[in-house]
PDB file of all heavy atoms in Angstrom:
ATOM      1  N   GLY A 222    -100.612  77.407 -29.224  1.00  0.00           N
ATOM      2  CA  GLY A 222     -99.551  77.284 -28.229  1.00  0.00           C
ATOM      3  C   GLY A 222     -99.428  78.441 -27.264  1.00  0.00           C
ATOM      4  O   GLY A 222     -98.491  78.481 -26.462  1.00  0.00           O
ATOM      5  N   GLN A 223    -100.361  79.392 -27.319  1.00  0.00           N
ATOM      6  CA  GLN A 223    -100.305  80.501 -26.376  1.00  0.00           C
ATOM      7  C   GLN A 223    -100.778  80.059 -24.994  1.00  0.00           C
ATOM      8  O   GLN A 223    -101.462  79.047 -24.844  1.00  0.00           O
ATOM      9  CB  GLN A 223    -101.152  81.663 -26.887  1.00  0.00           C
ATOM     10  CG  GLN A 223    -100.661  82.248 -28.203  1.00  0.00           C
ATOM     11  CD  GLN A 223    -101.447  83.475 -28.613  1.00  0.00           C
ATOM     12  OE1 GLN A 223    -101.661  84.380 -27.805  1.00  0.00           O
ATOM     13  NE2 GLN A 223    -101.878  83.524 -29.877  1.00  0.00           N
ATOM     14  N   THR A 224    -100.433  80.835 -23.986  1.00  0.00           N
ATOM     15  CA  THR A 224    -100.796  80.486 -22.617  1.00  0.00           C
ATOM     16  C   THR A 224    -102.269  80.778 -22.348  1.00  0.00           C
ATOM     17  O   THR A 224    -102.932  81.500 -23.116  1.00  0.00           O
ATOM     18  CB  THR A 224     -99.964  81.289 -21.610  1.00  0.00           C
ATOM     19  OG1 THR A 224    -100.260  82.683 -21.768  1.00  0.00           O
ATOM     20  CG2 THR A 224     -98.478  81.036 -21.824  1.00  0.00           C
ATOM     21  N   LEU A 225    -102.749  80.233 -21.247  1.00  0.00           N
ATOM     22  CA  LEU A 225    -104.140  80.474 -20.862  1.00  0.00           C
ATOM     23  C   LEU A 225    -104.380  81.965 -20.635  1.00  0.00           C
ATOM     24  O   LEU A 225    -105.424  82.500 -21.026  1.00  0.00           O
ATOM     25  CB  LEU A 225    -104.459  79.681 -19.601  1.00  0.00           C
ATOM     26  CG  LEU A 225    -105.897  79.794 -19.067  1.00  0.00           C
ATOM     27  CD1 LEU A 225    -106.899  79.312 -20.097  1.00  0.00           C
ATOM     28  CD2 LEU A 225    -106.046  78.997 -17.760  1.00  0.00           C
ATOM     29  N   GLY A 226    -103.413  82.641 -20.018  1.00  0.00           N
ATOM     30  CA  GLY A 226    -103.559  84.069 -19.787  1.00  0.00           C
ATOM     31  C   GLY A 226    -103.673  84.843 -21.088  1.00  0.00           C
ATOM     32  O   GLY A 226    -104.514  85.749 -21.218  1.00  0.00           O
ATOM     33  N   ALA A 227    -102.842  84.498 -22.072  1.00  0.00           N
ATOM     34  CA  ALA A 227    -102.895  85.175 -23.369  1.00  0.00           C
ATOM     35  C   ALA A 227    -104.210  84.874 -24.079  1.00  0.00           C
ATOM     36  O   ALA A 227    -104.806  85.759 -24.711  1.00  0.00           O
ATOM     37  CB  ALA A 227    -101.712  84.742 -24.231  1.00  0.00           C
ATOM     38  N   ALA A 228    -104.674  83.622 -23.979  1.00  0.00           N
ATOM     39  CA  ALA A 228    -105.926  83.238 -24.633  1.00  0.00           C
ATOM     40  C   ALA A 228    -107.098  84.007 -24.051  1.00  0.00           C
ATOM     41  O   ALA A 228    -107.979  84.481 -24.796  1.00  0.00           O
ATOM     42  CB  ALA A 228    -106.146  81.734 -24.485  1.00  0.00           C
ATOM     43  N   VAL A 229    -107.127  84.148 -22.738  1.00  0.00           N
ATOM     44  CA  VAL A 229    -108.194  84.906 -22.091  1.00  0.00           C
ATOM     45  C   VAL A 229    -108.135  86.369 -22.524  1.00  0.00           C
ATOM     46  O   VAL A 229    -109.164  86.998 -22.817  1.00  0.00           O
ATOM     47  CB  VAL A 229    -108.097  84.782 -20.558  1.00  0.00           C
ATOM     48  CG1 VAL A 229    -109.048  85.770 -19.879  1.00  0.00           C
ATOM     49  CG2 VAL A 229    -108.417  83.360 -20.117  1.00  0.00           C
ATOM     50  N   GLY A 230    -106.925  86.912 -22.602  1.00  0.00           N
ATOM     51  CA  GLY A 230    -106.773  88.297 -23.037  1.00  0.00           C
ATOM     52  C   GLY A 230    -107.257  88.512 -24.459  1.00  0.00           C
ATOM     53  O   GLY A 230    -107.950  89.502 -24.753  1.00  0.00           O
ATOM     54  N   ASN A 231    -106.933  87.583 -25.356  1.00  0.00           N
ATOM     55  CA  ASN A 231    -107.372  87.695 -26.750  1.00  0.00           C
ATOM     56  C   ASN A 231    -108.888  87.603 -26.867  1.00  0.00           C
ATOM     57  O   ASN A 231    -109.507  88.313 -27.664  1.00  0.00           O
ATOM     58  CB  ASN A 231    -106.721  86.602 -27.599  1.00  0.00           C
ATOM     59  CG  ASN A 231    -105.218  86.782 -27.730  1.00  0.00           C
ATOM     60  OD1 ASN A 231    -104.702  87.889 -27.576  1.00  0.00           O
ATOM     61  ND2 ASN A 231    -104.506  85.706 -27.988  1.00  0.00           N
ATOM     62  N   ALA A 232    -109.466  86.716 -26.068  1.00  0.00           N
ATOM     63  CA  ALA A 232    -110.918  86.565 -26.102  1.00  0.00           C
ATOM     64  C   ALA A 232    -111.606  87.804 -25.537  1.00  0.00           C
ATOM     65  O   ALA A 232    -112.644  88.244 -26.053  1.00  0.00           O
ATOM     66  CB  ALA A 232    -111.324  85.325 -25.312  1.00  0.00           C
ATOM     67  N   ALA A 233    -111.040  88.383 -24.492  1.00  0.00           N
ATOM     68  CA  ALA A 233    -111.626  89.581 -23.896  1.00  0.00           C
ATOM     69  C   ALA A 233    -111.553  90.768 -24.854  1.00  0.00           C
ATOM     70  O   ALA A 233    -112.431  91.641 -24.845  1.00  0.00           O
ATOM     71  CB  ALA A 233    -110.911  89.911 -22.594  1.00  0.00           C
TER      72      ALA A 233
END
Side-chain angles (χ1 to χ4, degrees):
Q223 297 185 48
T224 63
L225 181 60
V229 170
N231 293 337

